[in-house]
Structures are given as structure tokens and as C-alpha cells.
Amino acid sequence: MQLSQITNEKIIKSKKRVQNHGEVFTPKRIVNNMLDLPKIQEACLNITSTFLEPAAGEGVFLVEVLKRKLKIVKEKYGGDLTRFENYSLLSLSTLYGIELLEDNAQKCVMNMYQVFYDNYCAIALEHGKNVKSNVLDSAKLIISKNIAQGNFLTKLSASGNPIVFSEWKPLNLRNNSKTIKVQRTEYTLEDILLGRKKESGEQLPTSERIEQLDLFELYGIEGFTISKKNHLKYIPVKITDVYREEMEEVNG
Ligand SMILES: C[S@@+](CC[C@H](N)C(=O)[O-])C[C@H]1O[C@@H](n2cnc3c(N)ncnc32)[C@H](O)[C@@H]1O
């Protein structure tokens, strides 16, 4: 009997998709076995370690890493709702993915959001508080920027423009600060692979980023208006407010 039959997991959608795109999803048990390998397990327990899944499918690896990171966040900061909000968003901001097919990319986005939402609701409930819309909006913004529909091999998004990712660099992590400020900086996938450095806060030219899909909107959930402004840079902001995409004009 195959593993997928035992666990009732659907690992193949169609023969055609397997032939055309090599689409065979990894069963959760194998994902967990792989993530339990010593170095990887260690990275999953580190809130700030970064993961990029170049063929993310529906996000089975990213979702599992997120669950593991959120478990650590809960253990360390669950006693304080503000800290949980800040550090859970920080852990979310470290997970990146690329997926060729639109339906898989949408599912990946939604699966990640669901895990974040469920964990946040549970902790808020424990504290007898409501979830905050700015935290949820910031989670949506981060996921929508970190999961790209595109081709890892050509480094182009579905629209034919370079795949763009945002770095969310924490600025004040010392002393377990209660709230976290981040500096957002945009990089193309090529920049990342070539190790190119960028000015803090750099926003890439509109043409390179405008058409990157807002996968939340495709899914019928209110998303974000992608900024069309140029000659602007991102300013340091609280991680719970990144959804505002605050920028300032660049001098000179
Ligand atoms: C073998 S599946 C694995 C999916 C996921 N990582 C998992 O373990 O369940 C490969 C995935 O890569 C996607 N894919 C194929 N070629 C790709 C490419 N050039 N760039 C990005 N994704 C690609 C397919 O659509 C498919 O979802």
C-alpha cells in the first residue's frame, strides 16, 4: 500500500500535470522526516532563519516550517500577546516560495495564512482578547510578497517580469524587545542568487513589481493595492504595521 493511501493525502492531481510540471506533492510524513534532519530541524527552531522553497506546490514544506516556528514563538512569547503578534509576524516574514502554477500558488498563500490565523486566534483567545486587523493585514501583506507565482529557472514571474522578494530586516531584536521594527528592501530573485547588495529600503522600479500577482485578490479576499510610485524607499516600521507599505521620497 502506498503512503498516500494510508494517510488519505492527495499527492497527484492529474497524470498530465505530473508529465508537464513534475507535480507530485510530498506526503506530510516525509516532509516531517526531512525537516527532522539535524541542520534543518535546528533552522526550523530559529525564528529568524530564512527558507526559500523554489517549487513550493501548495506549500506543504513552508506550512510545516511555519507551524514549527510558531510553536517556538508560542513557547517563548505566548504569555504576552503583543510579543506573540510581533514574533509570529517575524517568523512568517522569513518564509519564501516560488510556484509555477496559479492554483498551487494560491493554495500555498491560503494555507500559510490559515496556519498563521489559527495560531493567532488561539493565543488571542487564551488572553481573552480579539485578533487585531493590523496584525492580520500585515500577515497577508507579508505572505503576498513572499510567495511568488513564477518560474524559478527563468527567474520570471507569471507576468514575465523578474520575480521580486522583500527582505524584512528586524532592526531591534536585542533584549527581546516587545515590539519589532523592520526595514523592508526589495530584491529580484537574481539579485538574491548573485548575492547583490541593496540600499536599505530600496523599492524596485514599478515595471519589475507591479504585475506580481496579488494572490489574495485572486482568491476573493481583500488584498492590497500595489503601489505605483517611483523614487521612493521603504521606511522602518513596526512589523505589525507593514501592511501600510509606508515610504518616503528619496533625496537627489
Ligand atoms: C514535485 S512538486 C513538489 C511540490 C512541493 N514542494 C511538495 O513537496 O509538495 C513540484 C512543484 O514545482 C512546480 N514547478 C515545476 N517547475 C517549476 C519551476 N520551473 N519553477 C517553479 N515551480 C515549478 C510544479 O508546479 C509543482 O507544484
Side-chain angles (χ1 to χ4, degrees):
M1 199 183 276
Q2 289 180 343
L3 183 64
S4 56
Q5 285 172 290
I6 302 166
T7 59
N8 228 358
E9 287 179 76
K10 201 171 172 198
I11 59 168
I12 287 173
K13 284 183 177 169
S14 74
K15 241 186 187 174
K16 203 168 163 202
R17 289 171 69 116
V18 177
Q19 283 163 354
N20 291 348
H21 306 294
E23 186 196 69
V24 179
F25 299 121
T26 311
K28 282 204 185 93
R29 209 181 86 182
I30 295 186
V31 170
N32 276 308
N33 287 342
M34 289 170 75
L35 295 182
D36 283 342
L37 293 168
K39 288 257 161 76
I40 302 176
Q41 191 177 48
E42 215 174 285
C44 292
L45 302 181
N46 179 351
I47 295 170
T48 56
S49 59
T50 303
F51 288 76
L52 169 63
E53 170 43 308
E58 295 182 348
V60 68
F61 279 94
L62 291 171
V63 160
E64 190 51 43
V65 175
L66 179 60
K67 283 183 184 167
R68 290 177 180 216
K69 285 190 175 222
L70 290 178
K71 191 163 173 268
I72 298 295
V73 175
K74 188 181 170 190
E75 282 166 19
K76 280 190 168 171
Y77 306 108
D80 179 325
L81 188 56
T82 302
R83 277 204 168 84
F84 180 84
E85 289 164 346
N86 278 264
Y87 287 85
S88 61
L89 283 173
L90 181 65
S91 67
L92 183 66
S93 76
T94 62
L95 305 180
Y96 297 85
I98 300 166
E99 166 56 41
L100 189 66
L101 303 177
E102 185 177 319
D103 59 344
N104 288 346
Q106 287 173 30
K107 199 79 198 298
C108 179
V109 163
M110 295 318 298
N111 287 340
M112 290 183 72
Y113 183 65
Q114 194 68 53
V115 168
F116 181 88
Y117 182 80
D118 290 347
N119 276 270
Y120 179 30
C121 283
I123 296 281
L125 195 67
E126 279 179 21
H127 285 269
K129 295 270 165 52
N130 290 325
V131 293
K132 298 186 186 108
S133 60
N134 63 316
V135 173
L136 294 176
D137 283 349
S138 294
K140 281 187 200 169
L141 191 274
I142 289 169
I143 298 172
S144 73
K145 299 300 166 192
N146 283 17
I147 305 299
Q149 189 201 340
N151 187 327
F152 178 71
L153 300 176
T154 60
K155 306 178 195 71
L156 298 177
S157 68
S159 58
N161 290 316
I163 291 173
V164 173
F165 284 123
S166 290
E167 175 190 38
W168 314 91
K169 189 175 177 192
L171 300 176
N172 59 331
L173 272 191
R174 267 177 254 141
N175 307 325
N176 277 353
S177 0
K178 196 169 164 97
T179 58
I180 299 169
K181 270 196 159 191
V182 287
Q183 173 65 71
R184 177 176 172 188
T185 305
E186 287 184 336
Y187 292 81
T188 64
L189 177 59
E190 180 150 314
D191 291 332
I192 295 168
L193 297 175
L194 293 175
R196 284 190 196 125
K197 293 269 175 276
K198 293 275 171 145
E199 288 268 317
S200 282
E202 181 166 338
Q203 188 204 35
L204 287 168
T206 305
S207 61
E208 295 194 3
R209 54 198 291 280
I210 187 70
E211 291 180 56
Q212 193 151 316
L213 285 174
D214 185 335
L215 294 162
F216 279 107
E217 280 184 352
L218 283 175
Y219 228 83
I221 289 182
E222 201 183 326
F224 299 89
T225 314
I226 298 172
S227 169
K228 293 181 181 149
K229 294 172 193 161
N230 269 332
H231 311 297
L232 293 171
K233 70 175 212 172
Y234 294 106
I235 56 171
V237 289
K238 286 182 183 168
I239 196 164
T240 47
D241 287 334
V242 289
Y243 76 97
R244 291 192 193 143
E245 301 203 272
E246 283 181 72
M247 291 170 244
E248 66 182 9
E249 289 207 28
V250 179
N251 293 327

